Amino acid sequence: MFAHASDISLHGFLQGNYSLNTAHANPDGGDFKLAEERLQLKLDISKDPFHLFVKADGWYDDIARNWDSELREGYVDYTTSNWDTRIGRQVITWGLGDLVFINDVFPKDYEAFFSGRPLEYLKKGVDGAKIGIYPGFASFELVAIPFFTPNTFPSRNRFWMFDPMPGVTDREKEKPAVSLDNTELAVRAYREIAGFDAAIYYYRGFFRQPSIIPDNPVIPSKLTLFYPKLSEYGASLQGRALDGVLSLEAGYYDSREDRQGTDPMLPNSQTRFLVGYQRQLWEDFTIGIQYYAQYMHDYTAYKNSLPSGFPQEKRLQDLVSIRLTQFLMHQTLRLSWFSFWSPSDGDYLLNPEIKYNFSDHVWAAIGGMVFGNGEKWSQFGQFDKNDNVYFQLRYEF
């Protein structure tokens, strides 16, 4: 660590990430999902009422054999006694789910997660402004994002995935244009009610998973991938109950471009909900259980409009997750297990991991991603050929 006076600090780490296939080679014939060496630097400067934070990564990709870099976060804070603001690239986390996102409508990097990068790389930053207002009876966050950032999905060179139109290779992505009308807006209001943390949410923007428009519905030669308009309304409640922590969350996804559900290329409106419970059963051992479901509205219209040969989604899709965490050896060794299983689709994801802290500055982790069952187009079933074991080694300074 480098420090100058009391309001400037520079931290960072050196890290190696490696993920090896255990079942099949990649679609491009490679054996590794991930092989990289990475440097991260974090600069933190505080001088009331301002605060500057910059987090940047640079890495060498051993598979592609090239260098790359990324500004992961870079923002300025201004703070007063009853309001504050943050402007720049920032990671925003809302909602209560553990790897399940209802009211957290901000971008994710699923390739990073499935290939075995540390969990912090699942979240992506957005370029925008956030204002916090604290009048006393409740707290409010208002977010404006003029530059749209989509989710990052696994590369088709390194991951086997379902493709409804594999023969069409001419594909074009259309992100929402930068304009006042396309600026994403999000609001969160929260306060404590009877010992529970309660919040309500609103978002107006776009789905972060693209939809497909073929140039010809019968014999397509080109596909346009675009991001449909979305409004989301939600609420959450979390507090102590049954000797643990109970979490409740729900959201209504209003698909503004297909409110009748008659366009099979656009997502239907949905209601999503989550029930979660976490408890420490004995010293240094915790268990977390979640049940998540999403219900498709206008399902009959969706079925009647679906082209022949396309996979048919279920009206109700659900997931059960379990997270087990055990610390040993004065909390230097962590054994963890996370798994998804879908009662509706029958597929699963298993993620065991062992992490050991050699010192305050050096740690290593080894784990695995195992996918299976379900249909070739289901959420985890489509990844059946992508089982991998990953290794992480980090030196922090």
Side-chain angles (χ1 to χ4, degrees):
M1 181 188 75
F2 166 78
H4 176 69
S6 60
D7 55 358
I8 301 177
S9 66
L10 180 65
H11 298 266
F13 60 73
L14 289 168
Q15 180 173 287
N17 295 323
Y18 309 96
S19 175
L20 178 66
N21 293 310
T22 60
H24 298 269
N26 295 337
D28 63 5
D31 293 322
F32 284 86
K33 291 278 187 283
L34 178 68
E36 66 178 22
E37 293 76 44
R38 181 177 291 260
L39 168 67
Q40 182 177 104
L41 295 176
K42 293 186 289 186
L43 176 65
D44 202 315
I45 303 176
S46 296
K47 187 171 181 62
D48 290 340
F50 294 98
H51 170 228
L52 169 68
F53 181 76
V54 177
K55 180 194 291 186
D57 281 23
W59 67 92
Y60 182 74
D61 186 332
D62 296 296
I63 300 175
R65 296 184 180 179
N66 62 14
W67 293 90
D68 209 341
S69 61
E70 176 188 24
L71 177 65
R72 293 192 56 77
E73 294 183 75
Y75 56 78
V76 175
D77 290 336
Y78 178 80
T79 304
T80 71
S81 59
N82 54 9
W83 70 277
D84 55 48
T85 185
R86 174 172 293 177
I87 299 175
R89 180 165 298 180
Q90 53 195 284
V91 173
I92 302 175
T93 300
W94 287 357
L96 308 176
D98 182 2
L99 299 181
V100 175
F101 308 107
I102 298 178
N103 293 295
D104 189 339
V105 292
F106 306 104
K108 315 295 186 301
D109 186 341
Y110 291 101
E111 180 172 34
F113 175 61
F114 289 148
S115 61
R117 281 196 184 99
L119 195 57
E120 66 199 73
Y121 284 91
L122 176 60
K123 295 295 185 72
K124 298 175 63 176
V126 295
D127 297 323
K130 180 175 67 173
I131 299 175
I133 304 173
Y134 315 103
F137 64 91
S139 298
F140 300 87
E141 281 186 349
L142 297 84
V143 178
I145 307 170
F147 309 101
F148 177 78
T149 301
N151 289 339
T152 297
F153 294 97
S155 163
R156 296 188 179 277
N157 291 327
R158 301 189 188 182
F159 281 82
W160 297 95
M161 293 180 294
F162 174 72
D163 188 339
M165 300 180 184
V168 184
T169 57
D170 185 2
R171 303 186 179 201
E172 180 181 68
K173 280 189 178 181
E174 289 186 356
K175 291 171 59 176
V178 178
S179 67
L180 184 61
D181 186 56
N182 286 340
T183 296
E184 300 169 71
L185 299 175
V187 181
R188 177 173 74 126
Y190 57 99
R191 62 161 295 163
E192 181 181 309
I193 299 176
F196 281 75
D197 295 324
I200 56 174
Y201 309 85
Y202 168 73
Y203 168 78
R204 182 181 175 87
F206 303 88
F207 286 94
R208 298 195 188 273
Q209 178 172 342
S211 292
I212 298 174
I213 295 182
D215 60 344
N216 186 313
V218 180
I219 308 177
S221 61
K222 180 180 178 180
L223 300 179
T224 300
L225 284 70
F226 79 108
Y227 300 87
K229 295 178 181 179
L230 167 69
S231 291
E232 194 268 341
Y233 311 84
S236 65
L237 193 67
Q238 185 178 65
R240 295 200 60 83
L242 305 173
D243 297 321
V245 178
L246 178 66
S247 302
L248 305 172
E249 187 173 1
Y252 174 68
Y253 279 55
D254 176 14
S255 182
R256 302 202 318 264
E257 295 186 52
D258 187 31
R259 284 180 168 144
Q260 305 303 316
T262 56
D263 189 335
M265 298 295 107
L266 296 174
N268 276 35
S269 297
Q270 296 178 338
T271 296
R272 305 183 181 187
F273 60 90
L274 168 74
V275 179
Y277 177 73
Q278 181 177 315
R279 180 177 176 180
Q280 179 173 309
L281 295 184
W282 56 78
E283 185 178 2
D284 292 333
F285 178 84
T286 58
I287 179 172
I289 302 174
Q290 295 180 131
Y291 176 77
Y292 163 82
Q294 58 185 45
Y295 178 85
M296 182 189 297
H297 297 279
D298 301 305
Y299 190 70
T300 300
Y302 160 76
K303 286 197 304 180
N304 292 340
S305 64
L306 197 65
S308 176
F310 269 62
Q312 180 178 314
E313 296 184 20
K314 295 180 172 62
R315 183 195 296 267
L316 180 70
Q317 293 179 289
D318 55 1
L319 281 175
V320 177
S321 77
I322 297 177
R323 182 179 292 279
L324 308 175
T325 306
Q326 174 72 68
F327 285 95
L328 300 169
M329 301 172 62
H330 305 288
Q331 295 194 337
T332 59
L333 177 64
R334 186 189 71 189
L335 310 178
S336 67
W337 169 276
F338 184 85
S339 61
F340 277 127
W341 172 65
S342 172
S344 59
D345 294 339
D347 57 355
Y348 61 80
L349 163 65
L350 311 178
N351 176 212
E353 184 179 274
I354 301 173
K355 180 182 177 183
Y356 181 70
N357 292 315
F358 295 94
S359 68
D360 291 339
H361 301 284
V362 180
W363 60 260
I366 185 170
M369 291 286 180
V370 182
F371 309 87
N373 287 1
E375 302 289 349
K376 64 180 181 180
W377 57 77
S378 64
Q379 184 174 5
F380 302 119
Q382 65 177 311
F383 290 102
D384 186 46
K385 295 182 179 181
N386 296 290
D387 295 355
N388 62 81
V389 59
Y390 60 82
F391 175 72
Q392 307 160 359
L393 177 63
R394 179 181 292 189
Y395 168 69
E396 299 176 343
F397 56 87

